[in-house]
Amino acid sequence: MPWAWFPPASSSRGGEPRLPPFRYDRAVVERTVHVDLGERSYSISIGVDILGEVGQEIRRRVEATRAMVVTVPPVGRRYGASVMRSLKSEGVKARRFDVPDGERTKNLQQVSRLYDSLLDASADRATAVVALGGGVVGDLTGFVAATLLRGLPFVQIPTTLLAMVDSSVGGKTGVNVARGKNLVGAFHQPRLVWMDVTTLKTLPPRELAAGMGELIKHGAIRDEAFFEWLEAELEGLMKLDPELLIHALERSCAIKADVVRQDERESGLRMILNFGHTLGHAVEALKRYRGILHGEAVAIGMAFAAERSETLGLSPKGTRDRLVTLLRRAGLPTELPAFPRRAYLQALRVDKKKREAKIRFVALRGIGRAVTVPLLPREIVPPTRAKGR
Ligand SMILES: NC(=O)c1ccc[n+]([C@@H]2O[C@H](COP(=O)([O-])OP(=O)(O)OC[C@H]3O[C@@H](n4cnc5c(N)ncnc54)[C@H](O)[C@@H]3O)[C@@H](O)[C@H]2O)c1
Ligand SMILES: [Zn+2]
């Protein structure tokens, strides 16, 4: 496996058209990001207090006459009425379906309940399947939309920062099974993504920080100018300044969408989105998914990967410190939990039968410049790491 080096988003090298350079224009308060995937293209709308307008867009762009709004109680209680009212005022027959809150809801039993409910409501191609909530609701609902009747139109209304910057962009849907997380799934692009930054006001602070980790990731792997802007504006963002948020979401989504556009099925470039995830997943597994949020584990993984990038001689010294400083300002952890080295090695062996299988480790050549490097687990976590840190 050769090393793969991906030039930054706004670089003009290579044949692909690239993102325009990052620019911050404070006056703008509503934005649209177009995700260009041929026939499966769609747009992401980002704005302030726009929840009540989603019905109109669903009717117009999806041509839906019916809608099933899937949500969890903490979100449905706060935002369900506004979405339902907006759909009904457009003449769309809407029903709300609540699933229990939490990661455990991403299972096949809930999928089956949703299938029944949709079939009972005579769902067809004119039925929009709408996810209102975080990544859990989005992944579950998206999988149902992908598979029922070989695909129904899917709409995402993400209400966590993580769902806005990550899970609602890219088309990956799926559920967990007893053998592991996200093992059953499908690619299914939404027809519309509708982000109202006002909903973030009720999000618990830890969840906000976790989402910020993935947002910082997008700057770190692909866009140094955006990363610099985050360094300047992080506190305002954490305070949910709407203009700052809209710009951050716009850029973050554009970066992810640009990567997905070039590699929808994850055969190369898309892997850079896994920056911080190799170690992050190991940390989550070792902690048995308890007491740590995904975004927190990814922050730890990014700090580790940035340090490893320096010790591998790939990135200039100071790259790690810059990233770690920003992650800490966002309230994220960056220290590797003290499990023995062999525990990390075991957790890293994705292919349990092939002990010597290489992993495409995502490293940095500097801020904004990700590379993938094929490494063995024992090269990712070299023996020196065992001494504590
Ligand atoms: N499909 C993808 O590409 C992709 C990418 C990243 C993560 N994911 C998946 O996303 C999931 C994690 O998503 P998440 O972090 O959004 O978790 P989540 O959906 O569980 O939401 C976190 C918590 O916040 C609550 N909540 C949501 N919005 C709220 C709001 N506006 N106000 C108050 N509370 C609110 C939820 O009820 C929940 O308790 C995981 O299952 C992960 O596998 C998928
Ligand atoms: Zn992630």
Side-chain angles (χ1 to χ4, degrees), residues 166 214 277 294 298:
D166 198 358
E214 301 271 8
H277 283 61
H294 172 73
V298 169

Side-chain angles (χ1 to χ4, degrees), residues 194-225:
W194 198 256
M195 301 182 185
D196 185 340
V197 298
T198 314
T199 61
L200 296 176
K201 281 189 185 162
T202 55
L203 191 67
R206 239 182 111 185
E207 299 283 352
L208 186 75
M212 206 58 82
E214 301 271 8
L215 199 151
I216 291 169
K217 179 190 80 180
H218 289 147
I221 58 172
R222 207 99 171 109
D223 191 344
E224 186 173 18

Side-chain angles (χ1 to χ4, degrees), residues 174-384:
V175 295
N176 307 324
V177 289
R179 298 280 183 276
K181 282 188 65 174
N182 298 322
L183 292 182
V184 174
F187 284 99
H188 190 55
Q189 298 295 345
R191 297 277 284 274
L192 172 69
V193 182
W194 198 256
M195 301 182 185
D196 185 340
V197 298
T198 314
T199 61
L200 296 176
K201 281 189 185 162
T202 55
L203 191 67
R206 239 182 111 185
E207 299 283 352
L208 186 75
M212 206 58 82
E214 301 271 8
L215 199 151
I216 291 169
K217 179 190 80 180
H218 289 147
I221 58 172
R222 207 99 171 109
D223 191 344
E224 186 173 18
F226 179 47
F227 190 92
E228 270 168 21
W229 181 83
L230 289 172
E231 289 178 315
E233 305 288 359
L234 192 81
E235 279 68 30
L237 272 171
M238 299 294 289
K239 285 194 200 121
L240 302 180
D241 175 312
E243 289 180 21
L244 295 178
L245 261 177
I246 285 174
H247 282 274
L249 286 171
E250 181 197 11
R251 188 62 179 181
S252 181
C253 290
I255 292 170
K256 182 163 181 186
D258 182 60
V259 169
V260 170
R261 176 181 63 75
Q262 292 178 58
D263 179 20
E264 199 180 350
R265 299 273 160 153
E266 194 164 319
S267 54
L269 178 68
R270 190 165 178 165
M271 281 174 201
I272 69 172
L273 297 172
N274 293 334
F275 178 58
H277 283 61
T278 303
L279 251 286
H281 285 146
V283 168
E284 284 183 289
L286 290 170
K287 289 199 158 251
R288 297 180 191 283
Y289 300 95
R290 280 197 282 265
I292 189 155
L293 297 176
H294 172 73
E296 294 170 340
V298 169
I300 293 170
M302 288 195 285
F304 176 89
E307 182 175 331
R308 201 68 192 93
S309 304
E310 287 186 18
T311 53
L312 284 166
L314 288 167
S315 71
K317 241 191 129 19
T319 308
R320 174 211 172 261
D321 285 353
R322 243 180 112 185
L323 180 57
V324 164
T325 303
L326 190 58
L327 292 170
R328 288 205 183 132
R329 279 168 62 198
L332 289 161
T334 52
E335 289 293 319
L336 211 55
F339 291 103
R341 178 177 181 240
R342 69 184 140 72
Y344 277 106
L345 293 183
Q346 207 154 24
L348 287 179
R349 289 196 186 106
V350 207
D351 191 340
K352 309 287 175 203
K353 277 168 250 138
K354 278 196 278 168
R355 282 177 65 91
E356 293 301 280
K358 290 201 172 188
I359 294 170
R360 278 179 194 271
F361 186 70
V362 186
L364 295 180
R365 296 250 306 225
I367 296 294
R369 301 190 295 155
V371 284
T372 58
V373 189
L375 291 177
L376 293 167
R378 63 182 150 80
E379 295 167 328
I380 294 174
V381 189
T384 47

Side-chain angles (χ1 to χ4, degrees), residues 75 101 103 106 134-136 139 159-160 166-167 172 182 199 202:
V75 177
D101 195 25
E103 180 70 29
K106 258 174 68 174
V136 164
D139 279 13
T159 62
T160 66
D166 198 358
S167 60
K172 283 190 187 176
N182 298 322
T199 61
T202 55

